Amino acid sequence: MQGNRGPQQNHGPNRQGEQRRPGGNTNGQQPEPSEHTSPNEALTLDLQSFRKPGEKTFTQRSRLFVGNLPTGVTEEELEKLFAKYGKANEIFINKERGFGFIRLETRIIAEIARAELDDTPFRGRPIRVRFATHGAALSVKNLPEFVSNELLEEAFAVFGQIERAVVIVDDRGRPTGKGIVEYTSKPAARKALDKCGDGAYLLTAFPRPITVEPMDQLDEEEGLSEKIINKNQQYHKEREQPPRFAQPGSFEYEYAMRWKALMEMEKQQYEMVDRNMKEAQEKLEAEMEAARHEHQVMLMRQDLLRRQEELRRMEELHSQEVQKRKQAELRQEEERRRREEEMRMRNEEMMKRQQEGFRGNFNENREQDIRMHMGNHGMAMNRTSLGGSSGPAGGAAGMAAENTPMMSGPGNNNNMPGGGQGGFPRGLPGPGDYGPNKQRRF
């Protein structure tokens, strides 16, 4: 008993004469001959399953060249031919020369379209479908050992937008020192080529610059088929003899051996050049390490001198700051002394004025006392002269009265100047009694 089969999708190339009907019978019967449909209507693609995570879409790598187009074909017809492979981003047709370009979403979808549509008839002519050359692709050489795809893309993204950056490795995953960088536009690729050619672009700490060249566009998948080779007169002449081994002693064998010797010499020359280059690289690396050590020592010395210079400047700034502080303190001290001196002089001036005022009042009071005393003494003398005799007896009595103290008592015998007698035995005080070194005698 035959089991049921689920729906199957065919992503292989359509052969001429193959006809399928959508939703084929599950019992294995062939479709009716009258039910014919076009290949693009019979096959469908699940586009989501052909998209890698994070893959960029509509790049130069998914751009196809379509040749041998019929005369008068339009862009709408070409788009309809590729309709089952998704929406196209770019369609260009050169009607005079009969070729065009179309850009699909991803590389895988473009590969499927190329495999299915190449050499298929389109309006009576077999079309030719190939991948278009990438005019903005660069080949990078002399890559350091520790450069990854991400670092390569980051390094070349400064020149323009990148579609793809890949470091080429061998079958064991070891880097070969070569890489590929693909830009979205030719001006960006030209800018990267000129910049890296004029300068020394370094990707890591190792000071070996990379080499950038235009990438050679090679077709390693389709190659050169017999149907597209140019069959001219030289072609027929060369193809007269089939593949064979030259017979020893023949003309072909002699010159074949000479060609083989020349190729062996070329191989040896290449090997010698590679050895010399390797030795030169090792020598340069050794010199570079020694120079790097000296350079690091020089940088350390320069850094030390710079720090010493900074320390000296800091010390100078500190000393200047200390000097400014001292000068400020001296100015403050001088200002304080000046104020104290002004205060002292002001106080002395006030005291002097007070003393002068006291002296003036004292002298005025003293003069008043003297005048009063002299007035009293003159009145007593007048009374004596009026009450006494005018003879010797009277004179003696007057002298006795004059020498008699004005106030008698036990405490008035020696307290007054002039022998302890009251009054002024020497008469009125004169100017000599008030000299600068004289004490007041009263």
Side-chain angles (χ1 to χ4, degrees):
M1 181 177 178
Q2 186 177 5
N4 295 332
R5 298 180 180 177
Q8 297 181 358
Q9 293 181 353
N10 186 1
H11 301 305
N14 293 334
R15 301 301 177 186
Q16 186 173 5
E18 278 190 349
Q19 297 175 352
R20 300 178 185 273
R21 55 180 293 184
N25 297 332
T26 59
N27 56 6
Q29 297 180 358
Q30 297 295 329
E32 295 295 333
S34 60
E35 298 177 354
H36 291 281
T37 57
S38 64
N40 289 345
E41 294 177 354
L43 299 178
T44 59
L45 292 178
D46 184 10
L47 300 180
Q48 297 296 330
S49 61
F50 296 100
R51 184 183 301 169
K52 297 179 182 179
E55 182 183 6
K56 297 179 180 179
T57 59
F58 300 106
T59 62
Q60 292 283 345
R61 301 185 71 244
S62 61
R63 190 166 177 257
L64 294 175
F65 166 83
V66 184
N68 200 25
L69 290 174
T71 304
V73 67
T74 62
E75 296 180 356
E76 290 75 12
E77 292 176 341
L78 186 61
E79 183 179 7
K80 187 177 180 180
L81 178 64
F82 286 85
K84 88 168 200 177
Y85 306 104
K87 183 175 178 59
N89 179 263
E90 174 193 357
I91 299 176
F92 170 79
I93 295 179
N94 189 331
K95 297 181 180 180
E96 297 179 357
R97 302 182 61 181
F99 69 90
F101 294 95
I102 184 169
R103 185 179 304 190
L104 301 179
E105 185 174 2
T106 62
R107 173 79 177 189
I108 297 178
I109 296 176
E111 290 178 353
I112 296 172
R114 179 187 60 81
E116 292 184 353
L117 297 180
D118 185 32
D119 202 24
T120 59
F122 178 63
R123 291 175 54 178
R125 300 180 65 174
I127 61 174
R128 181 186 177 189
V129 181
R130 294 286 188 272
F131 278 101
T133 58
H134 200 308
L138 299 177
S139 175
V140 186
K141 299 179 181 179
N142 295 329
L143 289 176
E145 182 180 359
F146 299 100
V147 173
S148 61
N149 298 339
E150 291 77 9
L151 180 58
L152 184 63
E153 182 175 358
E154 179 184 355
F156 279 86
V158 297
F159 306 111
Q161 187 176 0
I162 291 180
E163 289 185 350
R164 189 171 72 109
V166 177
V167 176
I168 301 176
V169 296
D170 58 10
D171 56 346
R172 297 183 180 181
R174 295 175 299 187
T176 60
K178 300 179 181 179
I180 299 173
V181 177
E182 297 175 353
Y183 285 95
T184 58
S185 62
K186 291 184 179 180
R190 174 56 58 183
K191 181 179 180 182
L193 190 64
D194 294 340
K195 289 287 186 180
C196 295
D198 296 338
Y201 197 30
L202 307 177
L203 302 188
T204 62
F206 191 73
R208 183 177 66 184
I210 60 174
T211 303
V212 181
E213 299 174 352
M215 185 176 176
D216 296 332
Q217 303 293 329
L218 303 176
D219 185 2
E220 300 177 355
E221 297 180 1
E222 295 294 331
L224 181 62
S225 63
E226 185 70 21
K227 61 184 177 182
I228 63 175
I229 193 170
N230 187 14
K231 298 178 178 62
N232 54 13
Q233 184 178 1
Q234 186 68 21
Y235 164 80
H236 294 287
K237 183 178 180 181
E238 291 289 336
R239 299 292 284 269
E240 290 178 355
Q241 296 289 339
R244 66 200 179 280
F245 282 100
Q247 296 295 326
S250 64
F251 174 81
E252 293 179 341
Y253 184 81
E254 179 184 356
Y255 277 91
M257 289 295 104
R258 293 178 66 176
W259 276 108
K260 195 172 182 179
L262 181 62
M263 289 185 290
E264 185 65 24
M265 184 175 64
E266 181 184 10
K267 181 181 177 181
Q268 293 177 359
Q269 292 291 334
Y270 277 118
E271 291 177 353
M272 184 181 298
V273 171
D274 291 340
R275 286 195 301 268
N276 294 336
M277 290 299 300
K278 188 175 181 179
E279 292 176 358
Q281 290 177 0
E282 292 176 353
K283 181 179 179 181
L284 182 60
E285 288 179 0
E287 294 177 356
M288 182 183 63
E289 289 297 328
R292 176 184 294 179
H293 179 70
E294 294 179 358
H295 182 66
Q296 291 178 351
V297 172
M298 182 184 66
L299 292 178
M300 293 175 63
R301 290 177 179 174
Q302 292 178 355
D303 185 67
L304 179 61
L305 294 176
R306 180 180 58 81
R307 294 189 177 186
Q308 290 178 352
E309 182 66 19
E310 291 180 356
L311 181 61
R312 185 185 62 80
R313 288 199 300 266
M314 291 176 64
E315 290 179 352
E316 290 181 356
L317 293 175
H318 180 69
S319 62
Q320 292 176 2
E321 187 68 22
V322 171
Q323 188 69 20
K324 289 180 180 179
R325 290 180 181 177
K326 289 183 179 180
Q327 293 177 358
E329 291 177 356
L330 290 175
R331 287 195 297 269
Q332 292 178 359
E333 183 67 20
E334 291 178 357
E335 184 68 17
R336 185 182 62 80
R337 291 180 179 179
R338 185 182 62 79
R339 292 179 180 178
E340 290 181 354
E341 182 68 20
E342 290 179 356
M343 185 65 69
R344 186 183 62 80
M345 293 177 64
R346 191 180 294 111
N347 293 335
E348 290 181 354
E349 185 69 20
M350 292 176 63
M351 292 179 64
K352 183 177 180 181
R353 292 179 180 178
Q354 290 178 359
Q355 290 179 0
E356 289 179 354
F358 177 76
R359 287 181 181 177
N361 295 334
F362 178 78
N363 292 333
E364 292 178 357
N365 295 334
R366 180 59 183 167
E367 290 178 357
Q368 292 179 1
D369 292 341
I370 292 173
R371 292 192 186 97
M372 292 177 62
H373 182 71
M374 291 179 63
N376 294 331
H377 184 67
M379 293 175 63
M381 291 179 63
N382 293 331
R383 285 195 301 268
T384 303
S385 59
L386 292 174
S389 60
S390 59
M399 293 294 294
E402 185 178 357
N403 294 331
T404 301
M406 296 176 63
M407 297 180 64
S408 61
N412 295 328
N413 52 358
N414 294 321
N415 293 333
M416 300 299 290
Q421 301 295 326
F424 298 91
R426 295 189 299 166
L428 295 175
D433 295 329
Y434 299 100
N437 295 325
K438 298 291 184 175
Q439 296 183 356
R440 296 189 179 95
R441 302 175 61 183
F442 55 86

